Amino acid sequence: MIHYKNPLLVLGCVPQWHERILLCRRAIEPRRGYWTMPAGFMETGETMQAAAARECQEEALAEVDIGSLLAVVTVTHAHQVHVMFRARLRRPEFAPGPESLEVVLCEEREVPWTDLAFPSVEYALRRYFADRAAGREDHHFVELNRSLRA
Amino acid sequence: MIHYKNPLLVLGCVPQWHERILLCRRAIEPRRGYWTMPAGFMETGETMQAAAARECQEEALAEVDIGSLLAVVTVTHAHQVHVMFRARLRRPEFAPGPESLEVVLCEEREVPWTDLAFPSVEYALRRYFADRAAGREDHHFVELNRSLRA
């Protein structure tokens, strides 16, 4: 199959353990050294939720139960659609997979906002914490056309 | 770009005009002659909502305002993810585009349930009417692995 004009799906999740969330520092380009939730390309034969859980297993060696839909971000310039879910860690066990330099559980005030890898990461995390503060689990759509640091 | 293993996004909507919804009878294979909501492959440079509105314009020559997320259907065997939104027709004007034989507005009891084109169409329409009866606008995830008539 050759597709010149169709966007690819990137699936991710925000894994929660009590008040903290799991973040990974990227070991690969683009944006090596910057922080993200576990996320990556969806593959055929899996659901969106299965893809999000697989990426968490691969990048953070952590098992999660996927929860509600958090964000759908069309990243026009990258020809990608990023879909992020809320998730819960099954136990507080995690470690860097081959694509991560570091994996941490952090509180909201510890999130490295100025060192996030992509604008879709910041968008999803801002909505995550805003919803949590309001006691909601909404989902959010947005289109992002340019790099965070453009 | 050559992608062997990533699913493609198909975007659609259920356009509403008062109590009725718009359906199209397909003029193209697969499933020529069977009924569907307007839907088709998402293209780069557009959001999910823009893709759903474009498909409605192309297949039913109708203008819609896209509303809430209705269904996300992973169609494993077809390597596709179908995403359907609720929508409202701006005015009751529509006609078959080149990929449709016929376009109609029908009430729930008039839906051709036994002549729908794909299982994802039936899934989305069943949830649409169930939610409407309950006064809700939920979104629904499902994985469908085989044809409706297998």
Side-chain angles (χ1 to χ4, degrees):
Chain A
M1 285 194 300
I2 303 180
H3 305 293
Y4 294 94
K5 61 172 194 173
N6 304 108
L8 289 182
L9 279 162
V10 171
L11 265 291
C13 66
V14 180
Q16 168 204 348
W17 180 257
H18 298 292
E19 292 300 297
R20 295 187 290 169
I21 64 163
L22 182 147
L23 291 177
C24 303
R25 200 154 71 87
R26 290 170 63 83
I28 54 171
E29 296 295 348
R31 302 288 284 162
R32 179 185 156 88
Y34 290 87
W35 293 87
T36 180
M37 72 279 283
F41 288 107
M42 182 173 172
E43 299 178 0
T44 56
E46 63 186 3
T47 62
M48 287 186 171
Q49 287 90 341
R54 175 182 52 73
E55 290 291 341
C56 188
Q57 176 65 51
E58 291 176 2
E59 298 182 0
L61 308 186
E63 287 183 27
V64 289
D65 293 309
I66 300 294
S68 58
L69 180 64
L70 169 61
V72 178
V73 184
T74 304
V75 188
T76 316
H77 66 277
H79 298 180
Q80 293 172 358
V81 178
H82 296 190
V83 178
M84 272 84 92
F85 289 85
R86 295 174 185 84
R88 285 173 186 274
L89 283 176
R90 289 186 181 163
R91 42 192 171 272
E93 295 173 10
F94 52 87
E99 298 184 3
S100 302
L101 296 170
E102 193 178 350
V103 179
V104 301
L105 277 181
C106 66
E107 298 183 15
E108 180 174 2
R109 61 184 172 75
E110 299 168 328
V111 170
W113 294 107
T114 57
D115 289 322
L116 296 178
F118 305 107
S120 62
V121 175
E122 175 168 0
Y123 177 82
L125 292 181
R126 297 266 185 217
R127 296 314 175 280
Y128 177 88
F129 288 115
D131 282 357
R132 192 171 82 173
R136 288 189 305 246
E137 292 199 8
D138 286 347
H139 62 279
H140 309 272
F141 288 90
V142 74
E143 180 177 9
L144 297 175
N145 279 305
R146 50 193 162 62
S147 129
L148 188 64
R149 287 153 186 283
Chain B
M1 285 195 298
I2 303 180
H3 305 294
Y4 294 94
K5 61 172 195 173
N6 303 108
L8 290 181
L9 279 163
V10 170
L11 265 291
C13 67
V14 180
Q16 168 204 347
W17 181 257
H18 299 292
E19 292 299 297
R20 294 187 291 169
I21 65 165
L22 181 147
L23 291 177
C24 304
R25 200 152 71 89
R26 290 171 63 84
I28 56 171
E29 296 294 347
R31 304 288 282 165
R32 178 184 156 90
Y34 290 87
W35 293 87
T36 181
M37 72 278 284
F41 288 107
M42 182 172 171
E43 298 178 2
T44 56
E46 62 185 4
T47 63
M48 287 186 171
Q49 287 89 342
R54 176 182 50 74
E55 291 291 342
C56 188
Q57 177 65 50
E58 292 177 1
E59 298 183 357
L61 308 185
E63 287 183 26
V64 289
D65 293 309
I66 300 294
S68 59
L69 180 64
L70 169 62
V72 177
V73 184
T74 304
V75 188
T76 315
H77 66 277
H79 299 180
Q80 294 173 358
V81 178
H82 295 191
V83 179
M84 271 85 91
F85 289 85
R86 295 174 186 84
R88 286 175 185 272
L89 283 176
R90 290 185 181 164
R91 43 193 170 273
E93 294 173 10
F94 52 87
E99 297 184 1
S100 301
L101 296 170
E102 194 178 349
V103 179
V104 301
L105 278 181
C106 64
E107 298 184 15
E108 181 175 1
R109 61 184 171 76
E110 298 167 327
V111 171
W113 293 107
T114 57
D115 288 322
L116 296 179
F118 305 107
S120 62
V121 175
E122 175 167 1
Y123 177 83
L125 293 180
R126 297 267 185 216
R127 296 315 175 280
Y128 177 88
F129 288 115
D131 282 357
R132 192 171 84 173
R136 289 188 306 245
E137 291 200 9
D138 286 347
H139 62 279
H140 308 274
F141 287 91
V142 75
E143 181 178 8
L144 297 175
N145 278 306
R146 50 193 162 61
S147 124
L148 188 64
R149 288 158 186 282

